[in-house]
Amino acid sequence: MKKVYLVFPEKIGTISPRLYGAFIEHLGSVIYDGIYCGEDSGAEHINGFRKDIIDAVKQAGISVLRWPGGCFAESYDWKDGIGPKKDRPVRVGWWTKFDGIYETNQVGTDEFMNFTQLCGAEPYIAANITSTTPLNIRDWVDYCNSPAGTTTMAKLREANGHKEPYNVKLWGVGNENFGGGGNMTPQYYAWEFRRFSELMCNVTPDIEMIACGCGAQRDDYIWHREVLDNFATTRSPRKTVAAMALHYYTNSSDCLEPENFDKNDWNKLIGIAAGMEEAITRLWGMALGNQQEHIGKLAIDEWGCWYNSGDMTAPLWQQQSYQLDAAVAGLTLNIFNNHCDKILLATIAQMVNGLQSLFIAHGDQCFRTPTYHVFEMYKAHQNAQCIRTLAEDSDISVSASIKDNTLTATVVNLSCESGAVVRLDPLGGRFTGDATIRILGNGDLNAHNSFETPDYLVPIDTVAENFDGTLEIPRGAVATVSVSVL
Ligand code: AHR
C-alpha cells in the first residue's frame, strides 16, 4: 500500500486554466492537415478547421493556444497571412529545410483567431524579433487589438471582415533566441526585448509579454539568469514582462520511440520529465533572489516528450503517443498544479501531428491520443484550489484540488514494472460518500490509439462506494479521483 497524504488546510493557490494550453506551429502537418483540413475536405469542418478537434478541445478545456511558432515565428511576417487567400504569398518557412513544406499562408492571423474562438481558447501570439522590425510587430498588435474604426490597421482588419478587435493579451517576444531565434547572447536579447516591447505596449498597455527564458533540458539556466539580471537594471521591462518562457522537453538522444524501448528507457525518460519540478523551483528561486517576483513567473510554452532528440526528421511530426506519454503528461500537469503559484501559463508541444500530440489527423480522419485523455481527466483542477500533497513513494506522482466541496486528486503510477495500491489519506478533512475513479491505462505499455483503433486507450470509469481512499493503479497508468469532502 502506497500512502498519499492530502493536506486540506494547506492551500497552494488557484490553478489557472492557463496551465492547460497547447502549442500549434507551422511545422510538418501541425496546421495544414492537422487543425486545418481545408474547406474542400471530406472531414467535418468549420471554415476548414476540423470539427472533431474543435469539439474535443472544448470538452477538455484546452485554455490557451500558442501560435505560429516556435522557431517558425522567427521567420514569419504576419502581413503575408491576411487578406484574400488566393493572393497570399508562398514562402520558405523556418522548417522548410527539414520538412520540405512551403508556407502557403492559408492560415494567418484572422484564421487563427477564428480557430481560437471556435475552441473557446485564449490566443497567445509569438512575435518575430529576429527578421522583422519593431514597427511591423507594433502593427500586428495594432491589427489585433485597436478598436474598430480607429487606426489604419483596425480599418485593414475590418476590410478583411473582422470589425471588432481580438484583444489578444498574451504576446511572446521572440522564441528560443539563445538558439534558432537569432543565436543571441542574453544581453543582446534583453535589449531587443526592450526595443520591441516598448512599441508593442503602445497599442495595448496591459498586454502580457513573455520574454525568452531558457531551454532547461540543456541546463541553460545561465541564459535565464542573465536576462533577468539585465531586466533588473532598467525600468521599462518592469512594466512589460509578464513572465519568462521556459522550454522543457522530455528527450534523450539514446531513447527510441516507446514502442521499442525497455525499462531503462522508461525510467530515464520519467526521470527527465520529473526534472521539470527542479527547473521550476530553480528558476523561480532566481527571480526571488533578484526580487523579481513581478516578472519571474514562468510561461512553460513548450513541453512534452520528444523522442529521438537531435534528429530533426520524422519523429518531430506525427510522433505517436503511448502510455509513457500519458504518464509524462500526468506527472507534468501534477507538477504544474503543485507550483501553480509560480506559473503564468503552459502549452504542450504540439497539439496535433507534432511531438507530444493530443490528436493525430490526416485527410478525413482524426483520433485522440492518450495525452488528450489526460488533459480531459485533469480538467476539474481548473479554477480549483490546489492543496499540498505528499506521496511516501517516489513512484507515485500526485496533485489535488478542491472546488465546491469536491476533491479532485490525480495520481500517476510512474512504475513500468508493477501496479500500485494507493491509499489517499486526508488530513484536516474527510471524504463523504462515493467516489468516481477514472483510470487511463491497462498495464500494456505499448497501448496507443490509431486511425484503425481510435479508442483503444480511453479512461475507464468506476464508482467506489463509501470511498475509503483506496485505489488500484496499473503500471504506468493515470488516475483521477473525484469525491465530495467535508
Ligand atoms: O516544437 C518544436 C521546436 O522546438 C520549436 O519550434 C522550437 O521552439 C523548439 O526548439
Side-chain angles (χ1 to χ4, degrees):
M1 177 92 73
K2 302 189 183 226
K3 269 218 162 177
V4 170
Y5 298 100
L6 310 177
V7 189
F8 279 42
E10 216 180 319
K11 309 273 190 297
I12 296 172
T14 303
I15 298 172
S16 167
R18 282 178 165 178
L19 305 193
Y20 289 81
F23 172 37
I24 44 176
E25 177 170 16
H26 291 248
L27 154 69
S29 54
V30 175
I31 303 288
Y32 305 110
D33 204 25
I35 59 167
Y36 187 77
C37 54
E39 302 198 24
D40 300 329
S41 169
E44 203 181 344
H45 66 85
I46 305 175
N47 302 329
F49 292 109
R50 289 181 193 277
K51 184 156 183 317
D52 39 12
I53 290 186
I54 291 166
D55 291 345
V57 164
K58 283 197 285 201
Q59 188 185 333
I62 306 299
S63 57
V64 174
L65 294 174
R66 176 179 186 243
W67 173 86
C71 290
F72 177 84
E74 294 288 7
S75 66
Y76 181 61
D77 185 349
W78 70 276
K79 283 182 179 147
D80 287 346
I82 56 170
K85 287 188 173 181
K86 65 177 179 27
D87 297 336
R88 297 185 190 176
V90 176
R91 303 279 190 209
V92 174
W94 198 96
W95 290 101
T96 305
K97 62 184 174 293
F98 296 108
D99 63 12
I101 296 172
Y102 294 101
E103 177 52 49
T104 59
N105 285 299
Q106 297 303 289
V107 173
T109 302
D110 295 313
E111 290 77 25
F112 168 65
M113 294 309 311
N114 180 229
F115 182 62
T116 62
Q117 288 163 351
L118 291 168
C119 292
E122 181 178 8
Y124 168 18
I125 294 182
N128 175 353
I129 68 160
T130 59
S131 54
T132 188
T133 63
L135 267 185
N136 191 33
I137 297 303
R138 192 275 315 269
D139 283 352
W140 199 2
V141 183
D142 187 359
Y143 184 88
C144 290
N145 289 357
S146 286
T150 56
T151 65
T152 299
M153 286 298 130
K155 288 177 186 163
L156 179 60
R157 184 186 67 230
E158 186 170 353
N160 288 335
H162 309 280
K163 182 172 181 194
E164 295 310 321
Y166 297 124
N167 295 322
V168 180
K169 294 273 281 189
L170 294 167
W171 290 83
V173 183
N175 176 76
E176 294 198 352
N177 303 94
F178 48 79
N183 283 298
M184 299 178 185
T185 64
Q187 292 76 15
Y188 184 82
Y189 169 74
W191 286 105
E192 288 297 274
F193 180 93
R194 285 190 184 83
R195 278 179 359 109
F196 280 77
S197 63
E198 199 65 45
L199 288 195
M200 290 165 76
C201 69
N202 279 351
V203 183
T204 313
D206 63 343
I207 60 174
E208 297 173 71
M209 284 188 270
I210 315 300
C212 174
C214 66
Q217 78 273 33
R218 293 175 211 161
D219 275 338
D220 196 7
Y221 295 114
I222 293 168
W223 167 281
H224 206 94
R225 173 172 213 127
E226 295 198 356
V227 173
L228 279 176
D229 283 351
N230 195 298
F231 287 166
T233 60
T234 58
R235 266 186 319 157
S236 180
R238 289 182 164 262
K239 297 187 295 198
T240 55
V241 182
M244 299 284 294
L246 163 64
H247 290 182
Y248 189 101
Y249 284 103
T250 293
N251 58 21
S252 172
S253 50
D254 54 356
C255 294
L256 301 171
E257 279 219 34
E259 205 171 19
N260 304 314
F261 69 32
D262 61 17
K263 160 180 150 197
N264 292 332
D265 294 323
W266 173 287
N267 289 336
K268 185 168 187 178
L269 289 167
I270 288 290
I272 293 169
M276 173 73 85
E277 181 147 37
E278 186 194 330
I280 293 170
T281 327
R282 281 181 64 176
L283 297 173
W284 180 242
M286 273 180 202
L288 290 186
N290 272 8
Q291 298 176 316
Q292 288 177 310
E293 298 94 311
H294 55 298
I295 65 169
K297 277 197 176 184
L298 296 167
I300 306 167
D301 51 21
E302 291 187 29
W303 69 270
C305 292
W306 183 337
Y307 302 124
N308 273 344
S309 155
D311 178 354
M312 299 292 255
T313 55
L316 188 51
W317 36 88
Q318 303 226 342
Q319 183 175 289
Q320 187 45 284
S321 181
Y322 297 85
Q323 188 68 49
L324 176 79
D325 297 76
V328 167
L331 165 64
T332 306
L333 294 173
N334 280 341
I335 293 170
F336 292 168
N337 289 342
N338 290 330
H339 293 275
C340 61
D341 51 338
K342 312 173 185 70
I343 306 173
L344 179 76
L345 63 86
T347 51
I348 190 171
Q350 298 190 347
M351 191 167 86
V352 192
N353 293 350
L355 295 166
Q356 187 165 353
S357 305
L358 308 186
F359 308 94
I360 294 183
H362 178 52
D364 58 4
Q365 291 184 296
C366 177
F367 66 88
R368 305 173 186 195
T369 69
T371 301
Y372 169 83
H373 292 299
V374 174
F375 272 74
E376 198 269 327
M377 289 167 71
Y378 277 53
K379 183 180 174 185
H381 282 306
Q382 296 186 23
N383 288 315
Q385 283 289 309
C386 188
I387 61 168
R388 182 85 52 207
T389 51
L390 180 67
E392 276 186 352
D393 191 299
S394 63
D395 273 345
I396 300 297
S397 155
V398 61
S399 69
S401 65
I402 299 175
K403 185 167 58 181
D404 302 332
N405 292 326
T406 299
L407 173 106
T408 301
T410 44
V411 190
V412 187
N413 177 6
L414 300 173
S415 168
C416 65
E417 292 188 279
S418 47
V421 179
V422 172
R423 177 67 176 249
L424 303 180
D425 191 349
L427 304 179
R430 64 187 169 85
F431 306 131
T432 61
D434 303 343
T436 302
I437 299 178
R438 308 183 73 199
I439 304 266
L440 180 70
N442 53 17
D444 172 5
L445 300 184
N446 274 337
H448 58 274
N449 296 332
S450 65
F451 293 125
E452 293 71 39
T453 54
D455 295 322
Y456 181 75
L457 197 55
V458 293
I460 305 294
D461 294 10
T462 53
V463 173
E465 290 179 6
N466 291 319
F467 185 55
D468 70 352
T470 308
L471 65 153
E472 284 185 45
I473 312 179
R475 61 178 184 164
V478 180
T480 301
V481 178
S482 172
V483 61
S484 294
V485 289
L486 287 175

